[in-house]
Amino acid sequence: MSASEEGPYNLRSDGEPGIHGHLGGFRRGPAVFSVYEIPPDRGRYPNGPTVYLIDVDDGAGARECSRFTDDPEDKPIWNGAWNNDEWCEWILKLARALIAAPDIG
């Protein structure tokens, strides 16, 4: 693992290293979206669902865009201005495609 993969400038919006759970990313204009898998807490009973984090970076550092779970009953939670944004459906479609076939490499 090189310093460029794990360091103070490659962090998720929640402060974890950007390589932890990274499934891939996509871009629209200046916005770069990264999708992460956050596994359930195995130390608890019952185990919760897997959580997926979508971060966005438009040059000002990673910020949380959305979180959602693998439970089909749960709706995505959009952060701030992303709530009801016209890009939401497009973002979720690409995030779910990465979950189904991660861009690891």
Side-chain angles (χ1 to χ4, degrees), residues 11-15 30-34 36 53-67 79 81-82:
L11 297 176
R12 300 186 324 204
S13 62
D14 61 3
V32 177
F33 297 88
S34 297
Y36 301 95
L53 167 66
I54 304 173
D55 277 352
V56 61
D57 187 344
D58 59 3
R63 293 179 319 283
E64 184 174 319
C65 175
S66 179
R67 282 182 188 250
N79 190 28
W82 289 104

Side-chain angles (χ1 to χ4, degrees), residues 20-103:
H20 289 184
H22 187 254
L23 300 176
F26 50 91
R27 158 179 246 127
R28 184 166 184 175
V32 177
F33 297 88
S34 297
V35 181
Y36 301 95
E37 179 180 27
I38 303 171
D41 181 356
R42 302 280 184 217
R44 282 185 349 174
Y45 180 82
N47 290 332
T50 298
V51 174
Y52 296 97
L53 167 66
I54 304 173
D55 277 352
V56 61
D57 187 344
D58 59 3
R63 293 179 319 283
E64 184 174 319
C65 175
S66 179
R67 282 182 188 250
F68 59 99
T69 71
D70 58 3
D71 183 340
E73 300 288 317
D74 290 347
K75 292 186 177 192
I77 298 170
W78 295 94
N79 190 28
W82 289 104
N83 196 22
N84 295 319
D85 187 88
E86 63 187 48
W87 289 9
C88 289
E89 278 188 51
W90 176 84
I91 292 167
L92 276 178
K93 179 181 175 186
L94 291 178
R96 288 189 169 122
L98 281 172
I99 292 165
D103 180 25

Side-chain angles (χ1 to χ4, degrees), residues 2-18:
S2 72
S4 64
E5 292 174 325
E6 186 169 0
Y9 304 108
N10 184 21
L11 297 176
R12 300 186 324 204
S13 62
D14 61 3
E16 291 292 321

